Amino acid sequence: MRDDRRPGAIERAGSWIYEGVWGVVTGLFLVPREPPRMPTAVGSNSGGEALQLKPGEAYLRYRKFWFWIGLSLVDVALVIFWLVVTWRFPVVGVVIAVPMLVLIVLPDVIAYLVIQLSYDTTWYVITDRSMRLRSGVWTTHEMTLTFENVQNVEIMQGPIERHFGIATLKVETAGGSAAAGAPGGGGNIGLLVGMQNAAEVRELVMQRVRASRSSGLGDEAKEPASRQGWSTTAVGELRRIRATLQMAH
Amino acid sequence: MTSTQAGTANRMSNPVPHGTVADFDASMITRPDDALLRYYAITSAFTLIAFPIVFLVQYVRFRTLRYRFDDEGVWMGWGWLWRQEISLTYRRIQDIHVTKNIIQRWLGLASVQLQTAAGGVSPQMEIEGVLDAEQLRDFLYIKMRGARGESTAQPSVDGRSTETSDEVTTLLREIREGIERQNARIDAMQKAIDGRIGGDHA
């Protein structure tokens, strides 16, 4: 996933520090570093190969873009506040100089790391029957859903997201609850944020959703009345027979 | 609710997949782990002055919380003065959420939330205090609709077993292969005739 241009000294040092942070976070905070796995079910005809997706690199740039905007606003406000205090009460200004500096710098560092970490711990695993979405650093959140239960799929993109070339894919089931705490959505909503190939993934998901014929509300898949008693594979065979006959002029 | 009754609940008769889920028996889960009480103590300590009341409520919940996983669904009940019981079937589960905050991760706990299609502001069932949350999640996932591909096969609602449709499919395939062989023979014969006619002309 990493870009293949050679990292400079600063980037190398950054990655060293970052790896150290990773060590602390994964060790102390027990953040899972590996993508989640899906169990391969008996009767599933897939080879068990699951598609592992992540938000695109552009999503990281997008998050950092907002980070820098937020950082400038907050830090400018804090510096102005400190200047005003120092101008009015020079002694107080000197005393609070160091705490203010910490207050300005520390949240920025933490926020920056959290952005990087949340990017690295976000995984979207798609199998032929289901999806598992995981994200989160402080609270890890994981959602598992089967395509059988998917109600609709939506792509959302704002102007700034469009500039960065990313979009959010929203997969909704009929599960109804607002508070299950999926990041950015209700409990019945699976969000694949920062996808650079959202349309492609949507097609993939929809193709697998279309394979199921039920309404996704717990009812059984029913055959259309016209093919009652014929299995899907049998109907497929009939179609192939027709095609074979048509080929034989 | 007695704590022994669920321990002897029916074993799973369905085949379980190979791998991690195979040696996991959800019907053994009847009570939350003691770690949940520690978790409740820590979280209610954050409420500072309200700690005694909050912790008492949480303690009662912990003491009375019972689970029962059987072949078809899961039952959960808690409460003493105000009693609450929830049942749902695996097939009605819409999605499974597993959340772990940092305290839960330290204690090895997780919250497994199951959602059905019923609307509401909170998940329909929240299973707390399970140490093998990942295994429980996979167990539930396998039992969910659509996880095993039954939707692509003919459901045996009208008493027609899948063997019948398999037989139909086999018959049809044989018929198709027969027609293909006939086509090939006809093509070969056609070619042979064309060749002879061409040869006569030359």
Side-chain angles (χ1 to χ4, degrees):
Chain A
M1 285 307 270
R2 296 257 168 259
D3 51 357
D4 45 12
R5 68 196 150 86
R6 288 188 55 207
I10 295 170
E11 285 178 24
R12 237 181 352 232
S15 76
W16 268 77
I17 293 167
Y18 185 64
E19 286 302 311
V21 170
W22 250 124
V24 171
V25 168
T26 50
L28 191 61
F29 294 95
L30 306 171
V31 177
R33 198 170 176 170
E34 287 78 34
R37 297 234 307 269
M38 294 298 280
T40 45
V42 167
S44 168
N45 46 13
S46 76
E49 79 278 24
L51 192 60
Q52 288 177 355
L53 301 175
K54 276 185 76 64
E57 289 277 322
Y59 178 65
L60 198 56
R61 289 200 296 277
Y62 169 78
R63 288 289 301 272
K64 284 177 179 171
F65 166 75
W66 283 113
F67 165 77
W68 286 114
I69 286 181
L71 173 133
S72 342
L73 289 177
V74 171
D75 285 357
V76 164
L78 284 171
V79 167
I80 289 171
F81 169 76
W82 181 74
L83 285 175
V84 170
V85 168
T86 315
W87 178 55
R88 296 286 298 192
F89 316 101
V91 181
V92 179
V94 170
V95 167
I96 66 166
V98 172
M100 280 300 281
L101 198 64
V102 172
L103 198 64
I104 288 170
V105 173
L106 198 63
D108 298 344
V109 175
I110 292 172
Y112 192 86
L113 282 173
V114 166
I115 287 174
Q116 185 74 42
L117 285 175
S118 72
Y119 175 79
D120 278 359
T121 50
T122 303
W123 293 98
Y124 311 123
V125 176
I126 301 180
T127 72
D128 58 340
R129 300 193 188 289
S130 52
M131 295 170 80
R132 181 164 286 169
L133 316 173
R134 186 164 75 193
S135 62
V137 178
W138 304 121
T139 298
T140 58
H141 189 284
E142 190 189 89
M143 177 180 186
T144 307
L145 57 93
T146 54
F147 291 127
E148 191 84 355
N149 289 331
V150 169
Q151 296 291 319
N152 51 298
V153 180
E154 192 181 323
I155 289 183
M156 300 183 297
Q157 191 182 42
I160 295 163
E161 285 171 310
R162 185 172 309 140
H163 172 76
F164 281 93
I166 54 173
T168 298
L169 189 72
K170 192 163 131 185
V171 181
E172 287 189 72
T173 68
S177 102
N188 62 326
I189 296 171
L191 284 182
L192 285 79
V193 294
M195 303 306 292
Q196 280 171 310
N197 53 350
E200 248 171 72
V201 179
R202 183 204 32 210
E203 283 316 306
L204 182 75
V205 170
M206 279 313 290
Q207 182 198 327
R208 285 167 190 191
V209 171
R210 259 180 244 123
S212 95
R213 287 182 307 277
S214 73
S215 72
L217 284 168
D219 49 353
E220 301 302 323
K222 282 210 180 66
E223 298 292 326
S226 58
R227 55 163 90 154
Q228 200 76 48
W230 293 92
S231 75
T232 316
T233 38
V235 172
E237 278 299 330
L238 279 174
R239 289 200 176 124
R240 287 166 76 176
I241 290 170
R242 184 178 60 193
T244 313
L245 284 173
Q246 280 167 352
M247 273 194 314
H249 8 272
Chain B
M1 285 300 131
T2 60
S3 57
T4 50
Q5 68 180 94
T8 55
N10 359 339
R11 290 306 177 100
M12 296 178 303
S13 54
N14 288 4
V16 287
H18 49 275
T20 53
V21 195
D23 50 352
F24 174 76
D25 187 0
S27 66
M28 297 302 281
I29 300 172
T30 58
R31 293 220 45 212
D33 193 80
D34 287 344
L36 185 66
L37 190 61
R38 291 199 286 280
Y39 175 67
Y40 282 161
I42 293 168
T43 48
S44 43
F46 284 119
T47 60
L48 302 174
I49 194 153
F51 173 77
I53 300 156
V54 174
F55 185 65
L56 184 68
V57 172
Q58 303 270 54
Y59 182 75
V60 170
R61 180 181 157 89
F62 172 78
R63 295 300 301 182
T64 55
L65 190 57
R66 295 288 182 277
Y67 301 112
R68 198 160 64 233
F69 293 84
D70 58 27
D71 288 348
E72 291 300 317
V74 49
W75 172 95
M76 161 184 190
W78 72 93
W80 174 43
L81 293 175
W82 290 273
R83 183 125 187 94
Q84 226 172 317
E85 294 184 14
I86 310 175
S87 309
L88 56 86
T89 55
Y90 300 128
R91 294 189 63 75
R92 300 294 166 104
I93 295 173
Q94 289 282 323
D95 31 44
I96 305 170
H97 295 254
V98 181
T99 57
K100 296 178 190 177
N101 62 33
I102 193 156
I103 300 166
Q104 286 173 319
R105 266 175 285 166
W106 277 332
L107 294 171
L109 290 171
S111 158
V112 180
Q113 293 149 4
L114 307 180
Q115 301 219 56
T116 63
V121 286
S122 55
Q124 276 70 43
M125 183 180 276
E126 182 170 2
I127 299 166
E128 289 180 296
V130 178
L131 294 180
D132 306 316
E134 263 77 31
Q135 293 190 326
L136 177 64
R137 173 202 64 194
D138 287 344
F139 166 80
L140 293 168
Y141 163 72
I142 296 295
K143 299 242 169 189
M144 256 172 100
R145 245 157 41 84
R148 274 187 297 182
E150 61 267 74
S151 71
T152 51
Q154 166 81 346
S156 52
V157 275
D158 48 356
R160 220 181 276 266
S161 69
T162 41
E163 287 125 53
T164 320
S165 59
D166 279 353
E167 197 189 325
V168 170
T169 310
T170 314
L171 274 172
L172 287 170
R173 187 177 301 129
E174 280 167 13
I175 293 169
R176 176 170 57 81
E177 283 164 2
I179 294 171
E180 278 169 359
R181 273 197 301 275
Q182 296 283 358
N183 281 353
R185 274 182 62 193
I186 292 169
D187 282 351
M189 280 161 72
Q190 190 74 42
K191 233 171 252 167
I193 293 166
D194 287 353
R196 196 170 301 161
I197 293 168
D200 286 348
H201 276 284

